[in-house]
Amino acid sequence: MTGGVEPLDRAFSSPQAKQRYARRLFATIADRYDLITVLLSFGLDGRWKRRAIDLAAPGPGARALDLASGTGDLAFALAAHGASVVALDVTHRMLQLARVRAATFNAGRSPTWVTGDMCGLPFPDAHFDIVTTGYGLRNVPDLKLAIDEIYRVLRPGGTLVSLDFNRPENALVRSVYLGYLWAVGGALGWTLHRDPDTYRYIPASIRRYPGAARVAGLMRAEGFSHAEWRPVLGGLMAIHLARK
Ligand SMILES: C[S@@+](CC[C@H](N)C(=O)[O-])C[C@H]1O[C@@H](n2cnc3c(N)ncnc32)[C@H](O)[C@@H]1O
């Protein structure tokens, strides 16, 4: 990975730089986000999200919080199960698109949309039964702080479910995987935004991510009584399940 790496390296040079970069990036791609998600996941993203929701097991009336909610897939699925849902994202445009989608969904009560940062949640302690996040934890500037905040707002016995890319342990698998995402991301970025780096942020962020096993360890270290992860797509993706 050489060409175009410098701006991305700068994007990860500090938590503040990552925060600035991620905010700009997601505001830029918001209107293409749903299309890109289908293309990059070969249409499998919906299946992975259904699996995540099954693990979260939302019952009617459960208080659920979906973080980094984007255009709202997980929030709508939680609401369809009868949960009372708050959906938070730092990108206002993502939530505008979610609201437009809400008008076309006929499943459950619409989520409440909150623009905010998952590293500083505007909710009281022990307020939610369930916290979900899809492709959220990898994007935050401070992973430990985000997990701390999730722990704080969950009630004792509450459940965290997180779906994200994984950083494969095996060096060869990792190199092929990230090389593939680099090439495809570059092509999509050029085609849609005339900037190949746009979606190369994905492999760049995976490269710097601790990986699923260490993220589970971090959850336990932050106080979760139980944290495990389930491999998805042969371990290229992961779903974390943690209990407070
Ligand atoms: C890859 S999208 C995932 C959207 C959605 N969860 C899904 O699964 O389709 C990542 C989302 O994280 C949001 N995000 C990034 N950093 C964030 C932060 N610090 N706090 C809250 N949301 C954040 C972005 O605005 C973006 O909508």
Side-chain angles (χ1 to χ4, degrees), residues 91-104:
T91 306
H92 183 66
R93 179 64 187 153
M94 286 281 191
L95 296 183
Q96 280 183 331
L97 294 164
R99 281 195 186 91
V100 171
R101 292 179 78 200
T104 65

Side-chain angles (χ1 to χ4, degrees), residues 93-143:
R93 179 64 187 153
M94 286 281 191
L95 296 183
Q96 280 183 331
L97 294 164
R99 281 195 186 91
V100 171
R101 292 179 78 200
T104 65
F105 270 73
N106 189 17
R109 224 173 62 203
S110 178
T112 301
W113 310 101
V114 176
T115 304
D117 191 326
M118 61 192 276
C119 290
L121 295 173
F123 309 112
D125 296 357
H127 189 69
F128 293 100
D129 303 303
I130 295 168
V131 174
T132 56
T133 181
Y135 317 109
L137 290 178
R138 184 178 36 85
N139 291 311
V140 296
D142 185 333
L143 182 56

Side-chain angles (χ1 to χ4, degrees), residues 26 33 49 68-70 88-91 94 116-118 134-135 139:
F26 287 111
Y33 178 73
K49 284 174 173 159
S69 195
L88 176 140
D89 199 285
V90 80
T91 306
M94 286 281 191
D117 191 326
M118 61 192 276
Y135 317 109
N139 291 311

Side-chain angles (χ1 to χ4, degrees), residues 198-220:
T198 310
Y199 300 107
R200 284 177 174 167
Y201 167 84
I202 298 172
S205 62
I206 298 170
R207 193 147 59 91
R208 290 156 176 92
Y209 193 54
R214 285 195 196 92
V215 171
L218 195 53
M219 288 170 179
R220 285 188 290 271

